[in-house]
């Protein structure tokens, strides 16, 4: 029970990597707040966790809404009285557009979900962590946050920004027993592709050059294993790191 007694918020937890992280956290003893825009899916996940004996609640959250994010933290405090781990997992893809094709609307939408929402949740978590003297943040960043050929311009830029936010927060609060780390998954079997529309043929063609080197598709549970470690006290000396989990894809 590596997370026994800890309270964790996991955004985008109705499916994919977020669901796997919520399940892994509950298995390790955490009380889990299953946050997602899809309330029906989040409720199904929370109910399944409770059937195993875990404590969990579902909260409908549009991460682009500050009001919703504020409500997420209020419901967390009402249900469990504290927060120990924040997992920023919610994210959407672009349409693989290079910068010459990107629209303002697409750019703004991608940054609202993938970057600004992460800042908003972290901004609310930090005062709680400072008051209680500890806390851990785990940001699901993607290999697209480290390399230029894994997505379009907007997604790549949005995830690179979260790398900087992760490292800066780790530095700023590292002396306060607050750790901030990131996970950079490669290709993983999730439904994030459903957020893609109006796909750029130029961008997709270029991106596929890198896909040819991918050894295999990862499973959400393989990402969740790392999220458990980074959220646990076993990672007490790990701070400001972005750990690539991609089966060796980016080593080629």
């Amino acid at each position: 029970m590596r997370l026994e007694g800890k309270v964790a918020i996991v955004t985008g937890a109705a499916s994919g990597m977020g669901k796997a992280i919520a399940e892994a956290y509950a298995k390790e003893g955490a009380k889990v707040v299953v946050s997602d825009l899809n309330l029906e899916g989040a409720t199904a996940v929370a109910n399944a966790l409770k059937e195993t004996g875990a404590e969990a609640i579902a909260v409908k959250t549009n991460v682009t809404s500050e009001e919703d994010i504020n409500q997420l933290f209020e419901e967390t405090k009402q249900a469990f009285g504290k927060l120990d781990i924040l997992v920023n997992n919610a994210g959407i893809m672009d349409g693989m557009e290079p910068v010459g094709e990107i629209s303002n609307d697409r750019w703004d939408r991608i940054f609202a979900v993938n970057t600004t929402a992460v800042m908003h949740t972290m901004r609310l978590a930090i005062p709680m962590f400072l008051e209680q003297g500890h806390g851990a943040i785990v940001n699901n960043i993607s290999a697209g946050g480290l390399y230029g050929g894994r997505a379009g311009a907007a997604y790549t830029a949005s995830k690179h920004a979260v790398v900087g936010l992760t490292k800066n927060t780790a530095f700023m609060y590292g002396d306060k027993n607050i750790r901030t780390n990131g996970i950079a998954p490669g290709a993983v079997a999730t439904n994030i592709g459903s957020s893609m529309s109006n796909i750029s043929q130029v961008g997709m063609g270029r991106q596929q050059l890198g896909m040819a080197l991918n050894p295999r598709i990862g499973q959400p549970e393989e990402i969740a294993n790392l999220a458990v470690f980074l959220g646990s006290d076993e990672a007490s000396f790990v701070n400001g790191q972005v750990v690539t989990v991609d089966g060796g894809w980016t080593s080629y």
Side-chain angles (χ1 to χ4, degrees):
M1 304 296 280
R2 300 153 75 189
L3 302 176
E4 187 170 8
K6 295 185 182 295
V7 175
I9 288 175
V10 184
T11 68
S15 62
M17 288 182 279
K19 177 175 180 285
I21 292 169
E23 291 170 344
Y25 273 38
K27 184 178 179 180
E28 293 291 344
K31 302 172 184 178
V32 183
V33 180
V34 182
S35 165
D36 203 285
L37 181 60
N38 175 8
L39 180 58
E40 182 179 354
T43 300
V45 172
N47 287 341
L49 296 182
K50 287 188 282 189
E51 287 176 4
T52 69
E55 293 186 56
I57 61 170
V59 180
K60 181 177 181 178
T61 313
N62 177 353
V63 294
T64 68
S65 164
E66 272 197 83
E67 181 179 351
D68 276 20
I69 290 176
N70 289 336
Q71 184 64 29
L72 169 63
F73 277 74
E74 282 304 314
E75 291 195 36
T76 299
K77 286 186 280 189
Q78 289 171 14
F80 301 123
K82 64 169 185 171
L83 177 68
D84 300 290
I85 309 167
L86 168 65
V87 181
N88 282 305
N89 170 77
I92 58 173
M93 283 291 293
D94 57 16
M96 296 293 177
E97 306 98 326
V99 70
E101 299 179 20
I102 194 71
S103 69
N104 287 344
D105 287 346
R106 177 89 84 179
W107 180 272
D108 292 344
R109 173 66 175 164
I110 295 294
F111 267 80
V113 175
N114 291 356
T115 309
T116 305
V118 174
M119 179 276 290
H120 284 159
T121 58
M122 291 171 66
R123 189 169 65 185
L124 290 178
I126 287 295
M128 298 176 67
F129 292 166
L130 288 171
E131 182 176 356
Q132 67 196 20
H134 66 87
I137 298 171
V138 181
N139 292 327
N140 196 350
I141 293 170
S142 159
L146 302 175
Y147 300 92
R150 299 295 181 267
Y155 184 88
T156 301
S158 73
K159 292 296 188 175
H160 271 72
V162 178
V163 170
L165 180 60
T166 297
K167 289 180 176 292
N168 178 265
T169 305
F171 172 76
M172 291 293 185
Y173 299 101
D175 61 340
K176 304 298 184 184
N177 199 29
I178 298 171
R179 298 182 297 104
T180 308
N181 293 291
I183 300 173
V188 179
T190 72
N191 63 355
I192 193 171
S194 65
S195 66
M196 298 174 67
S197 61
N198 301 319
I199 297 173
S200 165
Q201 295 307 303
V202 172
M204 180 64 81
R206 294 292 293 167
Q207 191 265 352
Q208 287 296 318
L209 296 174
M211 282 299 296
L213 297 173
N214 186 33
R216 70 175 176 90
I217 302 297
Q219 296 302 311
E221 292 76 16
E222 294 178 293
I223 310 305
N225 290 335
L226 178 58
V228 168
F229 170 70
L230 291 176
S232 75
D233 294 338
E234 294 175 8
S236 58
F237 202 46
V238 182
N239 191 30
Q241 303 306 303
V242 179
V243 184
T244 304
V245 190
D246 66 356
W249 184 16
T250 53
S251 67
Y252 304 148

